[in-house]
Amino acid sequence: MKDSELVKDFFYRATEIINQIRSYGDNISDKRITEKILRSLPQKFEHIVVVIEEKKICQNFQFMN
């Protein structure tokens, strides 16, 4: 994610990529997607990432086509 990019724009871009990957038949898990998205967030979101990882909230995220 770019520092100047809005979270909703980044998420939209990521969702488009996820949908493309899945349309090619790759079975990428929601957990793996969540981990990659959390790693790509800028430092200013680090406190949110820590809470999500510590509470294991990321297991509840689902990415639909």
Side-chain angles (χ1 to χ4, degrees):
M1 180 175 168
K2 303 169 190 162
D3 285 333
S4 61
E5 190 174 21
L6 296 174
V7 173
K8 70 176 186 167
D9 294 335
F10 169 70
F11 192 75
Y12 176 78
R13 191 165 50 92
T15 302
E16 289 293 311
I17 294 168
I18 293 163
N19 288 339
Q20 283 182 333
I21 290 171
R22 287 183 171 166
S23 73
Y24 293 130
D26 258 348
N27 186 14
I28 184 168
S29 71
D30 290 337
K31 183 177 187 259
R32 184 167 180 215
I33 293 167
T34 303
E35 290 168 350
K36 290 190 176 290
I37 288 174
L38 291 176
R39 277 196 305 261
S40 66
L41 293 174
Q43 182 67 33
K44 67 182 179 182
F45 295 107
E46 183 65 25
H47 62 286
I48 297 170
V49 171
V50 169
V51 170
I52 290 172
E53 290 175 344
E54 289 295 316
K55 297 288 184 178
K56 308 238 186 273
I57 297 171
C58 60
Q59 295 173 2
N60 299 330
F61 295 145
Q62 292 183 342
F63 297 89
M64 305 276 197
N65 289 339

